[in-house]
Amino acid sequence: MPEPLLLTDLRAATMLPGGAAYGVIGDAAIAIEDGAIRWVGAARDVPGDLADWPRRGLGGRLVTPALIDCHTHIVHGGDRAREFEMRLEGASYEEIARAGGGIVSTVSATRAADEATLLKDALSRVDALIAEGVGCIEIKSGYGLDLETELRMLRVARRIGEVRPVTVVTSFLGAHAVPAGEDADRYIDEVCLPALEAAHAEGLVDAVDGFCEGIAFDTAQIARVFDRAAALGLPVKLHAEQLSHMGGTALAARYGARSVDHVEYASAADARALADAGSVAVLLPGAFYTLRETQAPPVQAFREAGVPMAVATDLNPGSSPLGSLLLAMNMACTLFRLTPEEALAGVTRHAARALGLRDRGEIRAGLRADLAVWNVETPAELSYRIGTNPLHTRIVGGQS
């Protein structure tokens, strides 16, 4: 571990709930020891036993928790630029999927790629996120739809966390799509569930995800996957209510899901169910934007019910080829009417909760020293600016 360090001459957006907006401490100091935050507060109040620690001045810059992208499909083969053209020519997401495009086309490209190729391509996307202050990335499988490729994707995801200074959280997404010509129920029983068992046995799974939608799986099929996850002691999350209302949100809430993602067609009753379950609503404006959707998530219902709202890129080759979490924050404000403070909480405190991580997402004593240092005057600038990257540096696990 590096020697203890006292960061000074900074403004800290601690993102602690309650109190000042963004939890801002104006003239602040942050003490780091053994990769964790030892103390944070006003510079004038630095405890005496820390006063002689080595210091690093940050030139009055803003410090936030390092950002967290809590929903990505960053490991995949190929691209779907042609489908982008098709959508602009009038084809819908469902029409493309039913014609053999969409997720199924990425499945073919991913099956054809070896681990080295998948890793090389994924790292270029990961590096772009790291360059924007991201310290933690969730990565899903789901473009294999067979045992071998699902495991390959998860191995690559684990490898990313070994070769880059970023925490990787994995989600098994075998219930992502029905392979061409397959029966959905047979696929769940004979491919998805055995792949889940194998991935779990290899230590590759942190959570279990699914896609509950008319072009994917219904609630009964997802329930079978969730039952197996529960038997393995794994938490669940779900893509739900993206294109229609199928009851996925209510189902996920009954299983105590860590998060339910997309949720454009969720209802006020769904919001109350999420609140009761302690689940996070993950908003994915990149997919909303790319698919030119018009049904926005019920943000006001989430606010009224007290549902935490996270924001993520949903980085994938088809419906959200979005490699910027800062842009996702701006989109969440512009398209979904989040406030800049809600957007920043959505990529820090609430994103950590969506991944079940209790050791990050805020700046307070005892948490990991995962920090982002910005060349901005106010936290709102992180959501306000479009196409710029004001990151000065990252500090991850106490190291920059």
Side-chain angles (χ1 to χ4, degrees):
M1 285 289 180
E3 64 180 351
L5 179 64
L6 186 65
L7 302 176
T8 61
D9 191 16
L10 62 95
R11 290 162 293 123
T14 66
M15 300 313 295
L16 295 171
Y22 303 93
V24 165
I25 302 172
D27 182 12
I30 302 172
I32 299 173
E33 184 178 31
D34 295 334
I37 298 168
R38 165 82 177 272
W39 179 89
V40 59
R44 64 178 179 274
D45 298 329
V46 172
D49 61 331
L50 308 182
D52 293 333
W53 280 18
R55 297 187 176 215
R56 177 181 171 187
L58 295 180
R61 292 181 174 89
L62 179 75
V63 179
T64 70
L67 307 188
I68 299 169
D69 196 348
C70 66
H71 182 130
T72 83
H73 305 255
I74 214 163
V75 174
H76 62 259
D79 68 74
R80 295 191 346 229
R82 173 56 191 147
E83 292 175 23
F84 176 68
E85 292 181 316
M86 290 172 67
R87 283 195 299 271
L88 294 176
E89 292 164 359
S92 72
Y93 183 65
E94 293 191 49
E95 287 169 342
I96 291 170
R98 295 190 187 283
I103 293 169
V104 174
S105 66
T106 298
V107 168
S108 297
T110 305
R111 288 178 176 177
D114 60 19
E115 285 191 26
T117 300
L118 290 173
L119 178 63
K120 174 179 174 291
D121 291 347
L123 286 176
S124 67
R125 305 168 194 125
V126 169
D127 288 343
L129 291 173
I130 288 174
E132 288 192 342
V134 172
C136 178
I137 303 171
E138 185 261 12
I139 301 177
K140 305 178 190 296
S141 68
Y143 290 132
L145 308 186
D146 61 21
L147 189 148
E148 178 185 349
T149 316
E150 290 292 304
L151 294 181
R152 186 187 312 145
M153 292 183 69
L154 292 168
R155 291 186 193 115
V156 169
R158 285 282 193 244
R159 184 65 179 148
I160 288 168
E162 296 169 356
V163 300
R164 288 293 187 271
V166 66
T167 299
V168 170
V169 177
T170 60
S171 295
F172 175 82
L173 183 56
H176 194 196
V178 182
E182 273 280 13
D183 172 77
D185 288 303
R186 194 205 72 81
Y187 168 76
I188 292 289
D189 291 333
E190 298 183 13
V191 179
C192 180
L193 296 181
L196 171 56
E197 296 270 3
H200 176 257
E202 200 172 319
L204 298 174
V205 184
D206 296 321
V208 175
D209 201 346
F211 188 16
C212 186
E213 192 56 71
I215 59 173
F217 299 94
D218 62 28
T219 54
Q221 291 158 346
I222 293 295
R224 299 216 305 277
V225 177
F226 283 3
D227 285 339
R228 186 64 55 88
L232 295 172
L234 293 169
V236 300
K237 56 209 294 109
L238 187 64
H239 295 58
E241 267 70 76
Q242 179 186 8
L243 306 172
S244 61
H245 191 278
M246 287 189 58
T249 300
L251 172 75
R254 289 198 296 274
Y255 280 85
R258 281 182 174 168
S259 74
V260 183
D261 303 28
H262 287 293
V263 293
E264 281 91 335
Y265 284 83
S267 65
D270 291 329
R272 293 191 292 271
L274 292 179
D276 291 343
S279 303
V280 177
V282 179
L283 309 184
L284 304 172
F288 179 89
Y289 169 86
T290 300
L291 299 178
R292 302 168 70 185
E293 295 291 342
T294 57
Q295 175 84 21
V299 166
Q300 188 57 34
F302 292 148
R303 288 176 180 141
E304 291 172 357
V307 177
M309 292 180 286
V311 175
T313 62
D314 189 17
L315 175 52
N316 73 71
S319 63
S320 186
L322 173 60
S324 168
L325 192 54
L326 292 173
L327 182 53
M329 292 167 64
N330 174 272
M331 287 179 168
C333 294
T334 303
L335 300 175
F336 296 160
R337 297 297 188 262
L338 263 62
T339 68
E341 184 173 5
E342 287 174 326
L344 187 53
V347 298
T348 55
R349 183 173 75 246
H350 297 326
R353 180 170 172 176
L355 298 180
L357 299 175
R358 299 184 178 183
D359 64 344
R360 68 197 74 198
E362 301 172 348
I363 303 177
R364 60 180 171 86
L367 300 193
R368 271 178 61 96
D370 281 9
L371 307 170
V373 184
W374 305 95
N375 294 313
V376 299
E377 291 297 319
T378 67
E381 288 184 56
L382 299 178
S383 296
Y384 155 70
R385 298 195 181 278
I386 303 172
T388 63
N389 181 5
L391 184 73
H392 175 69
T393 192
R394 272 186 346 149
I395 297 172
V396 175
Q399 301 185 62
S400 57

